[in-house]
Amino acid sequence: TTLFRSLNKIMKLQAEISNTNLQKYIGKTYKVLIETPNTARSYMDVPELDGVILFKGKAQPGSFAECKITGNKDYDLIGEII
């Protein structure tokens, strides 16, 4: 239907905007809070609104770690614990 086509266009545009915005973080290092064995949040992230940082490396949930951002996917950042 027309409604679904319009929603798909809007979501595609939003994904492009998100991709552009997230690229500015690539190559930077942030102190992050480890939430699960492979997800974290930085000081910039609001849990109900923002994506997460998906990371490689070992870190204990509930701890803080340094994470270098290496890429992004959709609404999330990708990084490595350093």
Side-chain angles (χ1 to χ4, degrees):
T1 67
T2 303
L3 175 61
F4 288 118
R5 281 193 299 263
S6 295
L7 288 174
N8 284 335
K9 285 182 183 178
I10 291 169
M11 291 304 294
K12 184 177 178 183
L13 178 60
Q14 181 57 44
E16 291 172 9
I17 292 168
S18 176
N19 182 52
T20 300
N21 287 338
L22 292 177
Q23 286 186 8
K24 66 185 173 188
Y25 300 108
I26 296 173
K28 297 182 180 175
T29 300
Y30 295 96
K31 183 176 184 178
V32 297
L33 173 63
I34 308 301
E35 291 191 326
T36 71
N38 63 355
T39 63
R41 293 190 185 273
S42 73
Y43 72 92
M44 314 176 270
D45 301 320
V46 177
E48 291 81 23
L49 301 176
D50 296 316
V52 295
I53 300 170
L54 305 169
F55 65 85
K56 292 181 183 178
K58 293 190 179 194
Q60 193 69 21
S63 67
F64 287 94
E66 293 293 315
C67 184
K68 182 173 183 175
I69 305 303
T70 59
N72 68 290
K73 181 178 183 216
D74 299 325
Y75 301 99
D76 300 318
L77 292 168
I78 299 172
E80 267 181 43
I81 298 300
I82 55 172

